[in-house]
Amino acid sequence: MAEVFSLKLPVDCQAVLASIQCEIGLPVLAHKVLQLMQDGSLDAHALAAIITQDQSLSLRVLRLANSPFYGFSRKINTVKDAVVVLGDKALRNMVLILAMRGMHNHFGATEKSLWEESAAYAMAARFLAERIRGHHPEEAFMAGLMSNVGEVVANNDNPKLYQEIFDVTRRMGDDGTLQKRLPYSFTELGAAVLSSWNFSLLLVTSLFYADCADLDGDEHNPLYRMTALVFLARQICQALKLGGYRGSEQPVSAGYTAKVFGLSEEDLEQLQQDFATFHAQKASALLNPD
């Protein structure tokens, strides 16, 4: 039976956050960026002013701006140039890429796989948004990037248990038994964290339903459509075994999203093949932003 998409999420965010012990605060710089977003005053020049306060961040942003991922024909030499060429949403995403990568308490093999997975979800969501009408590519990128926050926090909070779950989920197939040892699912935890950071409802709902394979909603609702886009992006990445996935070869499992976007099996197969090529060519810039 399909779950019904709702803007009123059936989870007590305060109770979820009370169940974890680790810190969940964003780095100061990312917090400043989010504050501008919440105030409605985010523009490229305000964001550039924040970025230029930190020389190291400025250099990393320029490295990303000139990477194959963005593929600009001319070199971007200053943050001011990046303002003109990229705009506020792409610059915001660059800051959040660096912030997300820095959220891990330590950075071993599991964290590396998690980061590869988060970056792939972001790339796939942006890739799909450029091919499916009605989505802003940078908003889709951000939604994909943030869709793994629950796993990042769970790993920081209880690394031993998370490692057990990670091994079963990624390498041996998951029957859900180990995840039941967690007080809340990864998507519930992630949605609670994003809510505590005052992220938009679009990002919170697309994360909350990120693993829901059968979701019924209004196909004209932009929040429902973004949720479907993020689900499809994640399914494509998992089918391609990006991040820590080591399962058998399989075509993408589109769930309800094929109907939402009017995609045939041939369309899905082509999207998966095209994204595999795109990821192989462009991913290194996001995986190693430093």
Side-chain angles (χ1 to χ4, degrees):
M1 183 176 177
E3 188 171 347
V4 178
F5 178 81
S6 173
L7 300 182
K8 186 174 176 59
L9 303 182
V11 61
D12 183 340
C13 291
Q14 292 303 317
V16 174
L17 295 176
S19 73
I20 60 174
Q21 303 299 316
C22 67
E23 291 292 327
I24 60 168
L26 275 174
V28 174
L29 215 55
H31 181 73
K32 288 182 179 179
V33 171
L34 292 176
Q35 190 63 52
L36 284 175
M37 290 168 59
Q38 292 151 20
D39 293 344
S41 56
L42 178 67
D43 61 39
H45 295 284
L47 187 52
I50 291 176
I51 293 171
T52 53
Q53 292 172 14
D54 186 322
Q55 185 178 19
S56 174
L57 178 65
S58 297
L59 291 172
R60 287 182 288 168
V61 163
L62 289 174
R63 190 175 298 124
L64 272 176
N66 286 295
S67 73
F69 179 72
Y70 288 97
F72 292 112
S73 58
R74 70 178 183 88
K75 185 174 176 60
I76 299 174
N77 294 306
T78 68
V79 174
K80 288 184 178 180
D81 286 343
V83 166
V84 175
V85 176
L86 295 171
D88 57 326
K89 288 183 171 63
L91 279 174
R92 172 205 64 192
N93 285 349
M94 286 185 183
V95 173
L96 293 176
I97 287 166
L98 299 168
M100 280 290 292
R101 193 173 189 274
M103 274 189 66
H104 299 283
N105 287 349
H106 54 281
F107 207 83
T110 297
E111 291 72 30
K112 181 176 181 291
S113 290
L114 258 181
W115 171 241
E116 289 173 355
E117 190 176 294
S118 298
Y121 290 162
M123 291 180 68
R126 188 177 189 268
F127 178 87
L128 290 174
E130 291 175 336
R131 288 155 179 80
I132 298 174
R133 283 184 160 186
H135 300 92
H136 192 295
E138 294 301 338
E139 293 298 332
F141 182 95
M142 188 179 182
L145 181 70
M146 293 296 167
S147 71
N148 239 19
V149 165
E151 296 206 36
V152 173
V153 173
N155 182 47
N156 285 345
D157 192 56
N158 191 336
K160 184 177 179 181
L161 177 56
Y162 179 79
Q163 184 65 58
E164 291 181 57
I165 295 171
F166 181 90
D167 287 342
V168 170
T169 303
R170 304 314 201 273
R171 294 170 187 154
M172 292 175 279
D174 181 26
D175 63 2
T177 302
L178 274 176
Q179 289 195 51
K180 290 177 182 177
R181 290 169 55 188
L182 295 168
Y184 298 97
S185 69
F186 295 138
T187 53
E188 289 172 329
L189 177 56
V193 169
L194 291 192
S195 293
S196 74
W197 290 344
N198 293 318
F199 271 82
S200 69
L201 192 57
L202 181 145
L203 292 170
V204 174
T205 53
S206 62
L207 190 161
F208 183 79
Y209 292 111
D211 288 334
C212 186
D214 195 5
L215 187 64
D216 188 24
D218 177 3
E219 294 177 15
H220 300 291
N221 183 332
L223 278 76
Y224 176 69
R225 289 180 66 84
M226 180 63 81
T227 296
L229 188 87
V230 170
F231 175 83
L232 180 56
R234 288 166 60 96
Q235 292 301 301
I236 287 175
C237 291
Q238 291 169 21
L240 292 171
K241 301 187 290 185
L242 302 177
Y245 285 90
R246 296 292 182 272
S248 59
E249 294 289 347
Q250 58 177 333
V252 61
S253 176
Y256 68 100
T257 65
K259 178 183 176 183
V260 173
F261 298 128
L263 299 171
S264 66
E265 289 187 11
E266 291 76 16
D267 293 332
L268 290 166
E269 183 178 352
Q270 190 63 56
L271 283 171
Q272 182 173 326
Q273 290 175 2
D274 291 347
F275 179 67
T277 301
F278 178 82
H279 184 271
Q281 294 172 345
K282 309 286 188 179
S284 61
L286 293 189
L287 296 179
N288 304 289
D290 298 330

